[in-house]
Amino acid sequence: CNLQPKDAAKMPESAWKLLFYTLSWSYGIYLLFFTDYTFFYDPPSVFYDWKKGMDVPTDIAIAYLLQCSFYGHSIYATAYMDTWRKDSVVMLLHHVVTLTLIAFSYAFSRDCQMRGELARVAWRREVELREAGLVPCLRRDPRGPLNPLCSLCPGRFWFRLYWFPLKVLYATCHSSLQSVPNIPFYFFFNALLFILTLMNIYWFLYIVLFVAKVLMGQMQEVNDVREYDVEDSKKT
């Protein structure tokens, strides 16, 4: 692809994440819109007929397995394999929180709050700021810079900052208590979901910062504002 050495070294990371998110997104769309589940159109339905110890349907159990294995690997990959960035610590925290949500949701009475988590996976957050699309937009092509404003994908903000609070947080914070007044681990799960919301806002501000620098002419070439400068990188 005639990539510069710096960009070629990062290509495996971006290609792997693009592959995984394409597959997981597709499976999430299948569950939400091509099955009998009504999670998207009626978020409170995730708690209808909920009871302790209920079985997890096979198709949702597959989603558990895929997401749990991916985020378990991502903790190691972010720390030891991927390019270290200014937001890598936050990314590590994100992966730990997500893995905790998935694992504890399945382990503790197999509660249905994970079904809200499943919907979140389909909207997302699954478009991690750098893991599924932003990085290629910020990379510089030898034949000319890519359009820096391509990182302003409206869907990214729509999914993470609108659908996620409206659909998922509403269901887990309000609807869950309406359907199951004594639902277990209410504060535990919602605290983790709110942490993810704060991370979404954090990465949104990174994009705003990037676009502001481009529009104000403070960037001579298209660079990822989360990456260290050469001198900073040596110190790191």
Side-chain angles (χ1 to χ4, degrees):
C1 297
N2 294 322
L3 294 174
Q4 294 186 355
K6 176 184 176 182
D7 296 333
K10 301 173 185 175
M11 175 60 81
E13 174 188 347
S14 296
W16 155 242
K17 290 168 182 174
L18 174 63
L19 173 63
F20 174 79
Y21 284 126
T22 298
L23 295 175
S24 62
W25 173 278
S26 300
Y27 190 63
I29 292 298
Y30 162 74
L31 290 176
L32 288 174
F33 301 108
F34 296 94
T35 63
D36 295 333
Y37 301 124
T38 58
F39 304 151
F40 183 83
Y41 299 106
D42 183 22
S45 66
V46 301
F47 300 104
Y48 295 166
D49 300 322
W50 183 91
K51 58 183 177 180
K52 187 175 182 179
M54 64 184 301
D55 292 332
V56 176
T58 301
D59 50 5
I60 292 183
I62 292 175
Y64 269 108
L65 178 62
L66 292 175
Q67 295 295 331
C68 193
S69 58
F70 174 77
Y71 283 104
H73 160 76
S74 294
I75 293 174
Y76 174 85
T78 301
Y80 299 107
M81 297 173 63
D82 298 345
T83 300
W84 192 257
R85 300 179 174 90
K86 295 177 182 178
D87 67 337
S88 291
V89 173
V90 180
M91 188 65 69
L92 273 174
L93 176 61
H94 166 275
H95 294 335
V96 170
V97 170
T98 302
L99 184 61
T100 302
L101 273 169
I102 295 172
F104 277 65
S105 172
Y106 191 85
F108 289 148
S109 302
R110 299 185 177 184
D111 67 84
C112 291
Q113 292 206 34
M114 181 55 197
R115 299 189 181 181
E117 169 74 2
L118 176 66
R120 179 180 65 81
V121 166
W123 301 322
R124 196 51 165 247
R125 227 201 48 88
E126 181 159 305
V127 222
E128 295 296 342
L129 180 59
R130 70 178 173 84
E131 292 185 321
L134 178 59
V135 170
C137 292
L138 297 175
R139 299 270 164 82
R140 182 162 62 89
D141 192 301
R143 295 162 292 185
L146 294 173
N147 180 6
L149 298 183
C150 66
S151 63
L152 284 177
C153 173
R156 177 174 292 131
F157 307 130
W158 188 262
F159 296 147
R160 301 163 110 200
L161 301 179
Y162 180 72
W163 282 129
F164 180 52
L166 181 67
K167 298 282 188 177
V168 178
L169 293 183
Y170 173 79
T172 59
C173 294
H174 175 72
S175 302
S176 60
L177 292 179
Q178 299 296 316
S179 300
V180 188
N182 296 319
I183 191 166
F185 307 104
Y186 173 84
F187 292 103
F188 174 77
F189 281 104
N190 282 298
L192 294 182
L193 291 173
F194 270 105
I195 290 175
L196 291 179
T197 302
L198 293 177
M199 292 182 185
N200 289 338
I201 296 174
Y202 170 80
W203 278 306
F204 169 75
L205 294 178
Y206 253 122
I207 294 184
V208 172
L209 174 63
F210 165 72
V211 174
K213 287 186 175 181
V214 171
L215 295 179
M216 295 174 65
Q218 296 181 4
M219 296 181 65
Q220 299 300 319
E221 63 180 31
V222 181
N223 293 315
D224 190 338
V225 295
R226 296 162 306 111
E227 295 187 350
Y228 291 97
D229 296 331
V230 176
E231 294 183 359
D232 293 336
S233 180
K234 292 179 180 179
K235 295 178 182 179
T236 305

